[in-house]
């Protein structure tokens, strides 16, 4: 498998964690989102991913090469194809809770601070992109924590790592990057601390990727 | 089941279609997103859905009342609990394609023209919210069609209705509403036409809901 991705992209990071948790080796293919206008906008990359986002997972199945994008779709695919260790609980209601929490981040927060959106806020609307990003992250984390209070154990849903934790870690990194005060989110930062020491999470961290740029 | 929702909300509409396709009766509970500042912002609604979005599916399971939000999480729950008729193919790769297409809309397009975002573009950034919405929809539909070309039959993925079609119909309605020219999207409007005559889609249409406001 090859993962076309970028060190600091939340959605890339989610998939790196999941691949690591499932013990799946992958080749890291960096896609620089900023340099020279962004490698995601080249014709070569658009052929793999018309949405021009990262990540894209490239893999061979029954002799054919496939390109799969959209991080949650990739996580679901990995879960079905490589079910152990499971990143979704067995119980249908708990599975629903994991997906609800994941989607709060995947559709409710991250798209609004996505690079292409922040760029448009700044360039077209002459807005403060950092303040824009922080607004949506704070609003989303407040809801996320209220929902997680219903289900959290050691992790977001019970005592097993799930998609929700996989989404949470990059989301909190982005929150700090855009200046969000995380002190009201004690439950979320407690879960983050529980994940931080796990080898799969450590190896997937943005700052440890080959294309990472030191602060 | 009770569906807390709004006639013109894309995400509400997705869940209505899925409930209809699966033959599940539900009580329609309108949540007016605009009147008096928006019923989604009341304390009563936030208790059901801290993210203050629609829809929220309310149901009883083993004697307890549950509130589930995030339309894709709801679709996945319905699919697991009421598997027939299936809205995901059996083949893992095709399932992945359905989810990829669905997420292009769920996380790549709809969040950017969500009411709360358009309101902020207009009120805070003094931007043209309709132009903002149209920009993201056009960008997303272009990618969506390129991806759907890999898999489409009568519907977005093969010849069976899936989550992708459930997401597509409200997305194209929103596109027209914000003035997007759909003539470049022949594949997508052909799939739309194939869905339009199905009873489950007809009954879920925005304009046929009890809280619909005639144009």
């Amino acid at each position: 498998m090859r993962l076309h991705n970028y060190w600091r992209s939340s959605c890339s990071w989610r998939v790196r964690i999941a691949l690591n948790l499932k013990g799946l080796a992958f080749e890291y293919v960096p896609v620089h989102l900023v340099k020279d206008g962004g490698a995601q906008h080249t014709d070569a990359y658009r052929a793999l991913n018309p949405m021009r986002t990262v990540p894209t997972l490239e893999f061979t199945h029954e002799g054919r090469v496939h390109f799969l994008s959209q991080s949650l779709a990739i996580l679901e695919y990995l879960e079905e194809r490589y079910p152990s260790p499971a990143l979704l609980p067995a119980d249908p209601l708990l599975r629903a809770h994991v997906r609800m929490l994941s989607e709060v981040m995947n559709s409710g927060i991250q798209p609004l601070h996505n690079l292409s959106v922040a760029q448009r806020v700044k360039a077209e609307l002459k807005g403060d992109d950092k303040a824009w990003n922080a607004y949506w992250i704070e609003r989303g984390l407040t809801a996320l924590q209220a929902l997680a209070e219903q289900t959290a154990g050691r992790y977001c849903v019970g005592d097993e790592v799930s998609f929700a934790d996989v989404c949470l870690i990059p989301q909190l990194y982005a929150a700090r990057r855009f200046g969000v005060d995380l002190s009201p989110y004690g439950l979320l930062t407690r879960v983050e601390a529980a994940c931080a020491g796990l080898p799969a999470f450590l190896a997937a961290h943005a700052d440890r990727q080959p294309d990472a740029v030191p602060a």
Side-chain angles (χ1 to χ4, degrees), chain A:
Chain A
M1 288 200 246
R2 306 177 78 205
L3 188 67
H4 302 262
N5 78 131
Y6 184 63
W7 64 290
R8 200 158 59 174
S9 138
S10 304
C11 303
S12 299
W13 189 341
R14 295 173 191 164
V15 175
R16 292 196 301 262
I17 298 170
L19 288 167
N20 292 346
L21 284 167
K22 290 182 178 291
L24 299 166
F26 62 96
E27 180 188 345
Y28 190 104
V29 185
V31 180
H32 202 302
L33 297 188
V34 185
K35 202 169 61 181
D36 301 330
Q40 73 278 26
H41 300 302
T42 60
D43 288 346
Y45 191 75
R46 287 178 86 151
L48 317 187
N49 181 338
M51 198 65 178
R52 297 178 269 158
T53 53
V54 284
T56 303
L57 185 67
E58 177 182 347
F59 58 93
T60 305
H61 184 70
E62 295 176 355
R64 239 188 93 190
V65 179
H66 295 270
F67 298 98
L68 192 59
S69 53
Q70 296 296 323
S71 63
L72 264 279
I74 297 172
L75 295 186
E76 294 276 359
Y77 174 75
L78 293 173
E79 186 71 5
E80 293 186 350
R81 186 107 188 266
Y82 308 96
S84 179
L87 300 179
L88 286 173
D91 177 78
L93 266 174
L94 292 180
R95 292 166 78 83
H97 273 275
V98 167
R99 289 179 171 128
M100 173 169 64
L101 296 177
S102 301
E103 287 292 359
V104 165
M105 292 176 269
N106 182 58
S107 73
I109 306 178
Q110 194 282 330
L112 302 170
H113 67 77
N114 197 13
L115 177 65
S116 59
V117 176
Q119 283 173 336
R120 197 160 178 87
V121 163
K122 194 173 178 181
E124 295 291 318
L125 302 180
K126 313 299 175 200
D128 177 341
D129 54 331
K130 199 174 163 184
W132 166 274
N133 291 348
Y135 173 82
W136 296 110
I137 294 172
E138 282 180 7
R139 191 176 183 279
L141 292 183
T142 302
L144 183 70
Q145 180 160 279
L147 289 168
E149 280 165 358
Q150 301 173 18
T151 53
R154 180 167 173 79
Y155 301 109
C156 283
V157 177
D159 293 324
E160 302 292 335
V161 169
S162 74
F163 289 179
D165 308 298
V166 162
C167 293
L168 179 66
I169 302 313
Q171 188 60 72
L172 293 181
Y173 177 96
R176 289 191 187 90
R177 185 178 160 210
F178 299 120
V180 172
D181 170 18
L182 291 182
S183 61
Y185 308 110
L187 171 58
L188 302 180
T189 53
R190 178 178 65 64
V191 171
E192 182 189 36
C195 295
L198 302 175
F201 282 84
L202 277 168
H205 195 286
D207 298 344
R208 295 181 61 163
Q209 304 314 306
D211 55 340
V213 178

